[in-house]
Amino acid sequence: MTKPRVIELLLVTTIPTMLLAEGGWPSLGLVLATLVGGALAAGSANVLNCYIDRDIDQVMNRTRRRPTATGEISPRAALTFGLVLGAVSLTWLWLVVNPVSSLLTAGAILIYVVGYTMILKRRTPQNIVWGGAAGCMPVLIGWSAVTGSVGWPAVLLFGVIFFWTPPHYWPLSMKFRNDYAAAGVPMLPVVAKDTKVAREMIGYTLAMIACSLLLVPAAGMTWVYAVVATALGAWFLWACITLLRRAEDPARGKLRAMSVFHASITYLTLLSVAISVDVFLPF
């Protein structure tokens, strides 16, 4: 229920942000404390998501084996577990890291549980766009853990992940569109043509690339990061363009939406590595 693989992806962006904020290695204790608090908070949000969505999880093949969908874990137990995880994470971050990080984490939980799961998910095709802001919060939390505040580089990293989220998640929604349709969840690929989805993915990708490059002057990144960010952005943009071309002309081959999904994970991982390495370059 805590969705460990999702948590892993969230934490991948936290460490590079902390390195960038520190301009080197933060204390190991601070890094571990922030990661523990972040993992507990993300686990809390994911458990509460399973509790709220247990009815539609029973309908979808991708989620029907979740313990809350099968009845292996009762709704009351899931709710209690999620709330306890959330309370522990916020208390931990407040006492061990700092109050700013704790408050930002509370905001992330609320955006995901209330904003996305309870309000947006079943009502609008733009659900993942605005609800996905919760997944951007780890960079703000990581930055604030080091500095006690939120700086422009952290805001730009927030923008990178915010604009990355739709072209990351919509290909997955394309693969499981029948599941979402059966559950009555209006993900964009369910209610719009593949060509429209692909065009919007390209637009978000361009905005993502812009934020990644604005980080160069804002954070004093070197030309090494600039080159890597440009190359990664161009590579992922081409993946989205290829998706559009196949959507426009089926003769070009299968849509292969999941290849774009996997490419998005590779993009974010390598960009995070580039940020981490760039911090320690001597020029």
Side-chain angles (χ1 to χ4, degrees):
M1 291 191 299
T2 58
K3 306 178 187 177
R5 294 182 66 182
V6 175
I7 294 175
E8 178 185 350
L9 188 59
L10 294 176
L11 297 183
V12 159
T13 62
T14 303
I15 294 177
T17 304
M18 296 184 72
L19 294 174
L20 188 60
E22 182 68 32
W25 288 109
S27 71
L28 180 59
L30 179 63
V31 173
L32 291 176
T34 305
L35 293 180
V36 168
L40 290 172
S44 166
N46 290 330
V47 171
L48 293 173
N49 170 266
C50 288
Y51 164 75
I52 295 166
D53 279 351
R54 62 191 184 278
D55 58 331
I56 59 176
D57 282 349
Q58 293 172 348
V59 178
M60 300 173 63
N61 289 326
R62 186 170 67 90
T63 58
R64 65 183 180 182
R65 293 182 180 84
R66 288 177 179 170
T68 44
T70 62
E72 183 180 353
I73 293 179
S74 70
R76 181 177 181 178
L79 177 61
T80 301
F81 182 43
L83 292 175
V84 168
L85 278 179
V88 171
S89 71
L90 297 180
T91 303
W92 170 270
L93 288 168
W94 186 284
L95 296 177
V96 182
V97 181
N98 61 53
V100 175
S101 295
S102 180
L103 291 173
L104 287 170
T105 301
I109 295 173
L110 288 174
I111 290 171
Y112 188 70
V113 176
V114 179
Y116 172 66
T117 305
M118 297 179 66
I119 298 176
L120 297 171
K121 184 173 182 177
R122 308 191 195 201
R123 289 180 173 86
T124 171
Q126 296 299 312
N127 46 23
I128 198 62
V129 177
W130 302 108
C136 311
M137 295 298 284
V139 296
L140 301 185
I141 296 164
W143 187 276
S144 69
V146 173
T147 67
S149 62
V150 175
W152 280 112
V155 173
L156 287 170
L157 285 170
F158 181 99
V160 169
I161 302 172
F162 180 82
F163 292 119
W164 167 87
T165 300
H168 162 68
Y169 199 85
W170 281 337
L172 186 69
S173 301
M174 287 179 174
K175 179 177 176 62
F176 295 104
R177 78 175 82 223
N178 291 335
D179 270 0
Y180 285 114
V185 178
M187 289 293 179
L188 188 64
V190 174
V191 300
K193 294 182 179 179
D194 289 338
T195 51
K196 175 179 173 58
V197 177
R199 289 191 185 99
E200 291 205 19
M201 287 170 58
I202 290 172
Y204 281 113
T205 299
L206 289 171
M208 175 195 76
I209 295 171
C211 286
S212 72
L213 295 179
L214 284 171
L215 193 62
V216 175
M221 311 297 284
T222 74
W223 64 268
V224 175
Y225 166 81
V227 170
V228 172
T230 300
L232 286 173
W235 170 70
F236 185 61
L237 177 63
W238 180 248
C240 294
I241 291 173
T242 300
L243 182 71
L244 173 61
R245 296 175 71 192
R246 287 175 175 164
E248 291 176 333
D249 183 8
R252 294 182 182 272
K254 293 182 179 180
L255 205 57
R256 295 179 182 174
M258 287 302 290
S259 66
V260 183
F261 171 78
H262 293 302
S264 70
I265 297 175
T266 301
Y267 168 85
L268 191 61
T269 301
L270 292 181
L271 189 74
S272 297
V273 171
I275 293 170
S276 301
V277 171
D278 197 84
V279 170
F280 297 99
L281 293 178
F283 47 83

Coordinates of all heavy atoms in Angstrom, one line a residue, residues 10 111-112 115-116 120 126-138 158 161-166 169:
L10 N 10.5 9.3 -6.0 CA 10.5 10.6 -5.3 C 11.8 11.0 -4.6 O 12.2 12.1 -4.7 CB 9.3 10.6 -4.3 CG 7.9 10.5 -4.9 CD1 6.9 10.4 -3.7 CD2 7.6 11.7 -5.7
I111 N -2.0 17.8 -0.9 CA -2.2 17.9 -2.3 C -2.6 16.6 -2.9 O -3.5 16.4 -3.7 CB -1.0 18.5 -3.0 CG1 -0.8 20.0 -2.6 CG2 -1.1 18.4 -4.5 CD1 0.5 20.6 -3.1
Y112 N -1.8 15.5 -2.5 CA -2.0 14.2 -3.1 C -3.3 13.6 -2.6 O -4.1 13.0 -3.4 CB -0.9 13.3 -2.8 CG -0.9 12.0 -3.5 CD1 -0.7 11.9 -4.9 CD2 -1.2 10.8 -2.8 CE1 -0.8 10.7 -5.6 CE2 -1.3 9.6 -3.5 CZ -1.1 9.5 -4.9 OH -1.1 8.3 -5.5
G115 N -6.3 17.0 -2.7 CA -6.4 17.7 -4.1 C -6.6 16.7 -5.2 O -7.5 16.8 -6.0
Y116 N -5.7 15.7 -5.2 CA -5.7 14.7 -6.4 C -6.7 13.6 -6.2 O -7.6 13.5 -6.9 CB -4.3 14.1 -6.6 CG -4.3 13.0 -7.6 CD1 -4.5 13.2 -8.9 CD2 -4.0 11.7 -7.2 CE1 -4.5 12.2 -9.8 CE2 -4.0 10.7 -8.1 CZ -4.2 10.9 -9.4 OH -4.2 9.9 -10.3
L120 N -9.8 15.9 -7.7 CA -9.5 15.9 -9.1 C -9.6 14.6 -9.8 O -10.1 14.6 -11.0 CB -8.1 16.5 -9.3 CG -7.8 17.9 -8.8 CD1 -6.3 18.2 -8.9 CD2 -8.6 18.9 -9.6
Q126 N -7.5 16.7 -16.4 CA -6.2 17.4 -16.0 C -5.9 17.0 -14.5 O -5.0 17.7 -13.9 CB -6.4 18.9 -16.0 CG -6.7 19.4 -17.4 CD -5.5 19.2 -18.4 OE1 -4.4 19.4 -18.1 NE2 -5.8 18.6 -19.6
N127 N -6.4 15.9 -14.0 CA -6.2 15.5 -12.7 C -4.7 15.3 -12.3 O -4.2 15.8 -11.3 CB -6.9 14.2 -12.4 CG -6.8 13.1 -13.5 OD1 -5.8 13.1 -14.2 ND2 -7.7 12.2 -13.5
I128 N -4.0 14.6 -13.2 CA -2.6 14.3 -12.9 C -1.7 15.6 -13.1 O -0.6 15.6 -12.5 CB -2.1 13.2 -13.8 CG1 -0.8 12.6 -13.3 CG2 -1.8 13.7 -15.3 CD1 -1.0 11.9 -11.9
V129 N -2.2 16.6 -13.8 CA -1.4 17.8 -14.0 C -1.3 18.5 -12.7 O -0.2 18.8 -12.2 CB -2.0 18.7 -15.1 CG1 -1.2 20.0 -15.2 CG2 -2.0 18.0 -16.4
W130 N -2.4 18.8 -12.1 CA -2.4 19.6 -10.8 C -2.2 18.7 -9.6 O -1.4 19.1 -8.7 CB -3.7 20.4 -10.7 CG -4.0 21.3 -11.9 CD1 -4.9 21.1 -12.9 CD2 -3.2 22.4 -12.2 NE1 -4.7 22.1 -13.8 CE2 -3.7 22.9 -13.4 CE3 -2.2 23.1 -11.6 CZ2 -3.2 24.1 -14.0 CZ3 -1.7 24.3 -12.2 CH2 -2.2 24.7 -13.4
G131 N -2.7 17.5 -9.6 CA -2.5 16.6 -8.5 C -1.0 16.2 -8.5 O -0.5 15.8 -7.4
G132 N -0.4 16.2 -9.7 CA 1.0 15.8 -9.7 C 2.0 16.7 -9.0 O 3.2 16.4 -8.8
A133 N 1.5 17.9 -8.6 CA 2.3 18.8 -7.9 C 2.8 18.2 -6.6 O 3.9 18.6 -6.1 CB 1.5 20.1 -7.5
A134 N 2.1 17.2 -6.0 CA 2.6 16.6 -4.8 C 3.9 15.9 -5.0 O 4.8 15.9 -4.2 CB 1.5 15.6 -4.3
G135 N 4.1 15.3 -6.2 CA 5.3 14.6 -6.6 C 6.5 15.6 -6.8 O 7.6 15.1 -6.8
C136 N 6.2 16.9 -6.9 CA 7.3 17.9 -7.1 C 7.8 18.4 -5.7 O 8.9 19.0 -5.7 CB 6.7 19.1 -7.8 SG 5.8 18.6 -9.4
M137 N 7.0 18.1 -4.7 CA 7.4 18.7 -3.4 C 8.7 18.2 -2.8 O 9.4 19.0 -2.0 CB 6.2 18.4 -2.4 CG 5.0 19.2 -2.7 SD 5.1 20.9 -2.7 CE 5.1 21.3 -1.0
P138 N 9.2 17.0 -3.0 CA 10.4 16.5 -2.4 C 11.6 17.5 -2.7 O 12.5 17.6 -1.9 CB 10.7 15.2 -3.1 CG 9.3 14.6 -3.3 CD 8.5 15.8 -3.7
F158 N 11.3 22.2 -9.1 CA 9.8 21.9 -8.9 C 9.2 22.0 -10.3 O 8.4 21.1 -10.7 CB 9.2 22.9 -8.0 CG 7.7 22.7 -7.7 CD1 7.3 22.1 -6.6 CD2 6.8 23.2 -8.6 CE1 5.9 21.9 -6.4 CE2 5.4 23.0 -8.4 CZ 5.0 22.4 -7.3
I161 N 9.9 18.9 -12.6 CA 9.1 17.7 -12.2 C 7.6 17.9 -12.5 O 6.9 17.0 -12.9 CB 9.4 17.3 -10.8 CG1 10.8 17.0 -10.5 CG2 8.6 16.0 -10.4 CD1 11.2 16.8 -9.1
F162 N 7.2 19.1 -12.3 CA 5.8 19.5 -12.6 C 5.4 19.2 -14.0 O 4.4 18.6 -14.4 CB 5.5 20.9 -12.2 CG 4.0 21.3 -12.4 CD1 3.1 21.0 -11.5 CD2 3.7 22.0 -13.6 CE1 1.7 21.4 -11.7 CE2 2.4 22.4 -13.8 CZ 1.4 22.1 -12.9
F163 N 6.3 19.8 -14.9 CA 6.0 19.6 -16.4 C 6.4 18.2 -16.9 O 5.9 17.8 -17.9 CB 6.8 20.7 -17.1 CG 6.3 22.1 -16.9 CD1 7.1 23.1 -16.3 CD2 5.0 22.4 -17.2 CE1 6.6 24.3 -16.1 CE2 4.5 23.7 -17.0 CZ 5.3 24.7 -16.4
W164 N 7.3 17.5 -16.1 CA 7.6 16.1 -16.5 C 6.5 15.2 -16.2 O 6.4 14.2 -16.9 CB 8.9 15.8 -15.7 CG 9.3 14.3 -15.6 CD1 10.0 13.7 -16.5 CD2 8.9 13.3 -14.6 NE1 10.2 12.3 -16.2 CE2 9.5 12.1 -15.0 CE3 8.1 13.4 -13.5 CZ2 9.4 11.0 -14.2 CZ3 8.0 12.3 -12.7 CH2 8.6 11.1 -13.1
T165 N 5.7 15.5 -15.2 CA 4.7 14.5 -14.7 C 3.7 14.1 -15.8 O 3.4 12.9 -16.0 CB 3.9 15.0 -13.5 OG1 4.9 15.3 -12.5 CG2 2.9 14.0 -13.0
P166 N 3.0 15.0 -16.6 CA 2.1 14.5 -17.6 C 2.7 13.6 -18.7 O 2.2 12.5 -18.9 CB 1.6 15.8 -18.2 CG 1.7 16.8 -17.1 CD 3.0 16.5 -16.4
Y169 N 3.2 10.2 -16.9 CA 2.1 9.4 -16.5 C 1.1 9.1 -17.6 O 0.5 8.0 -17.6 CB 1.3 10.1 -15.4 CG 0.5 9.2 -14.6 CD1 1.0 8.4 -13.5 CD2 -0.9 9.0 -14.9 CE1 0.2 7.5 -12.8 CE2 -1.7 8.1 -14.2 CZ -1.1 7.4 -13.1 OH -1.9 6.5 -12.4

